[in-house]
Amino acid sequence: MAAVPHHVVSGPGPEARAVAHPLRDLFIELLLLFSVGYNFVLAIVNAQLVSISPAMTYAAEFLIYASCFGIGIWTMERQKIVAILSGIGLVAAVMLFRYLMEWHVDAKFIRDALIPFAFLVLGTSYGGSLPRLFLRMAIIVSLIGAVELTAPDLYGNVVNPKSYYVNTRGADASGFWNQDSNLFVSATRPGERNFLPGSDLPRASSIFVEPVTTGNFIVFFCAIVLVFWRSYRPAQLALCGLLLLFLVVASDGRLAAGTSILLLMGAPLLRRMDQRLSFLIMPLTVLGAMLLVWITRVSAYEDTTLGRIYLTVHALREMPAEAWLGLNFDVPYTYFDSGIAYFVASQSIMVVGAFLLAFAFGLEMPTQDGQAFKNFFMLAFSTSLLVSNSLFSVKSAALWWFVCGAMWQLRDVPWVAGAAGPFGKRVRSSRSAADGVVS
């Protein structure tokens, strides 16, 4: 099969056409980087130029979502446009129903539901190399994290996460444990670190401004490496491993390390599992959590991984019927440490069920790599929701949905066909992206 120039893009007719758009791809990469790092940019502006208000952060996010739709919608197949509009229509219908029942609407819940659609659309317009893109991003994240670790006072003075979160999120400055630090509230904490006891180093936040999202990025990049490892040369794979190890230690990412190990252990099954069975992963994860709580006999919440899993199980057992239907707008905010309970209460069980079925049967990936990534995503998403709702933030969710969009747009040829590899090498064309090897 002949190599195509860049990326398979849908056109007006039934057949796909291959079109290279390097400038558009560059703009998309910069937009994606801004999407995950806009807090970093705004925090510097807040610390060095002018105080940032919550309205400015909302405007930045609106600009991101508008750009995603504005760029991506022109390259999508008509069938996929209909699927996206149908999904948005379902969410809008449920939101309207909830409004008519309660005469209340919460903009955050609408924003949570909008993120997947926006970045799916953006991903479909991308024609570059995903392994190269995210290796570059991992290097950027690691370099800024290294500066933060070696010069925490410099990072704190230039970025000043404390001031930024006080101004934009209503955080209480007195609630920061270390009053002598301008870093994020959980960047420094009492007691010794798990990975580097006695080092007195902060937890690296890098471009994400807070360390939890750094942990989410570790899991995402681990999935990228596990899915696209054939597109890296041995030296590049070694670099990926070193970057992952550094970020785990730098961010004190114990949960990220555990989730990454879970992805690694499940990789043989996830690569071969029918993508239409992915809707089973979340309910099976919840059942596994219930079994774990029963075996360990945990009976009270505490701020540990097991304690948060208990909170999820307890919340799902105790949530009232109106919360399951999304008709209690206060309940979601009581479950920030239980992402699944937050998901159900903020969107309703109808939307959650529709999401799982649409993800499994509607988001059909035509390549083996796309199917593998889809399964990795659902496992990472489900396990993360046991202890946090952080994957609903644009900083974390954008990356996963962007890759889903890029892999969803393909036909029967891999996205790596004829494209440059991570460091400018050419990649052999094949029927499956899993067979693409940097030459």
Side-chain angles (χ1 to χ4, degrees):
M1 183 175 62
V4 295
H6 203 48
H7 180 55
V8 177
V9 181
S10 169
E15 299 300 325
R17 56 189 174 85
V19 182
H21 292 288
L23 290 179
R24 185 183 67 193
D25 289 341
L26 175 61
F27 182 80
I28 290 172
E29 291 177 5
L30 293 175
L31 176 60
L32 184 64
L33 183 62
F34 180 71
S35 300
V36 300
Y38 77 97
N39 281 303
F40 183 73
V41 175
L42 294 183
I44 294 175
V45 172
N46 177 78
Q48 306 300 323
L49 298 176
V50 62
S51 179
I52 297 294
S53 68
M56 294 178 184
T57 65
Y58 302 150
E61 284 204 35
F62 177 80
L63 177 62
I64 289 169
Y65 305 144
S67 300
C68 288
F69 285 111
I71 296 171
I73 203 71
W74 302 104
T75 60
M76 293 185 69
E77 299 172 352
R78 294 189 184 95
Q79 184 178 8
K80 290 182 171 63
I81 293 176
V82 171
I84 291 290
L85 293 179
S86 298
I88 294 175
L90 173 63
V91 172
V94 172
M95 293 294 178
L96 178 60
F97 167 74
R98 295 167 68 185
Y99 176 74
L100 294 176
M101 292 295 293
E102 296 294 317
W103 295 107
H104 180 66
V105 66
D106 193 313
K108 185 180 187 308
F109 302 159
I110 298 174
R111 168 258 201 186
D112 290 346
L114 186 64
I115 291 173
F117 296 110
F119 287 94
L120 270 175
V121 170
L122 182 66
T124 61
S125 65
Y126 183 65
S129 166
L130 293 176
R132 178 176 58 182
L133 167 61
F134 293 113
L135 179 54
R136 286 201 306 266
M137 188 175 291
I139 291 172
I140 292 171
V141 171
S142 299
L143 288 176
I144 296 177
V147 171
E148 181 182 3
L149 290 184
T150 56
D153 291 338
L154 174 63
Y155 182 94
N157 292 332
V158 172
V159 182
N160 201 338
K162 179 191 288 186
S163 173
Y164 179 70
Y165 276 89
V166 168
N167 290 342
T168 64
R169 305 294 194 274
D172 183 2
S174 63
F176 284 65
W177 173 76
N178 187 350
Q179 292 296 311
D180 296 326
S181 172
N182 288 330
L183 300 179
F184 188 72
V185 60
S186 63
T188 58
R189 55 191 178 187
E192 293 189 333
R193 289 165 54 90
N194 184 285
F195 290 125
L196 296 175
S199 67
D200 293 327
L201 291 174
R203 300 171 67 201
S205 300
S206 188
I207 65 171
F208 308 110
V209 190
E210 44 82 20
V212 171
T213 307
T214 308
N216 291 338
F217 178 79
I218 292 168
V219 177
F220 167 78
F221 186 55
C222 178
I224 288 291
V225 175
L226 289 173
V227 171
F228 301 122
W229 64 272
R230 288 187 178 91
S231 294
Y232 291 118
R233 290 181 281 117
Q236 296 159 358
L237 275 176
L239 176 60
C240 290
L242 290 174
L243 292 174
L244 283 169
L245 180 61
F246 168 75
L247 288 173
V248 165
V249 175
S251 66
D252 197 22
R254 288 162 288 174
L255 180 61
T259 306
S260 298
I261 292 172
L262 181 62
L263 293 181
L264 180 61
M265 294 174 60
L269 173 63
L270 295 172
R271 289 200 68 91
R272 292 168 174 79
M273 189 179 79
D274 190 320
Q275 62 179 313
R276 291 167 293 185
L277 297 178
S278 59
F279 76 97
L280 294 174
I281 294 177
M282 183 175 289
L284 288 175
T285 300
V286 173
L287 290 176
M290 292 179 174
L291 180 62
L292 179 62
V293 168
W294 180 75
I295 292 174
T296 58
R297 305 296 182 185
V298 178
S299 58
Y301 168 75
E302 56 184 37
D303 194 14
T304 63
T305 299
L306 190 56
R308 293 188 179 194
I309 292 175
Y310 163 79
L311 176 65
T312 291
V313 173
H314 177 74
L316 294 177
R317 288 173 176 169
E318 301 298 326
M319 274 199 312
E322 59 266 24
W324 284 90
L325 295 175
L327 298 179
N328 189 323
F329 287 82
D330 295 324
V331 168
Y333 292 104
T334 65
Y335 294 126
F336 276 115
D337 286 341
S338 172
I340 289 180
Y342 173 85
F343 191 13
V344 173
S346 66
Q347 301 296 330
S348 80
I349 189 62
M350 296 86 73
V351 170
V352 173
F355 160 76
L356 293 176
L357 293 177
F359 186 85
F361 296 97
L363 196 66
E364 184 178 358
M365 301 295 182
T367 65
Q368 292 179 14
D369 281 354
Q371 295 175 48
F373 183 83
K374 180 175 169 179
N375 293 332
F376 276 113
F377 179 17
M378 183 53 70
L379 179 58
F381 184 58
S382 301
T383 53
S384 174
L385 291 190
L386 291 177
V387 297
S388 170
N389 68 356
S390 60
L391 275 184
F392 288 105
S393 72
V394 64
K395 295 181 294 183
S396 296
L399 299 173
W400 292 98
W401 290 111
F402 176 84
V403 176
C404 283
M407 303 303 292
W408 186 39
Q409 180 76 336
L410 302 179
R411 292 296 182 90
D412 62 344
V413 292
W415 63 270
V416 293
F423 289 103
K425 298 292 185 178
R426 304 297 291 179
V427 180
R428 294 202 306 267
S429 172
S430 68
R431 282 279 172 182
S432 166
D435 298 328
V437 182
V438 176
S439 58

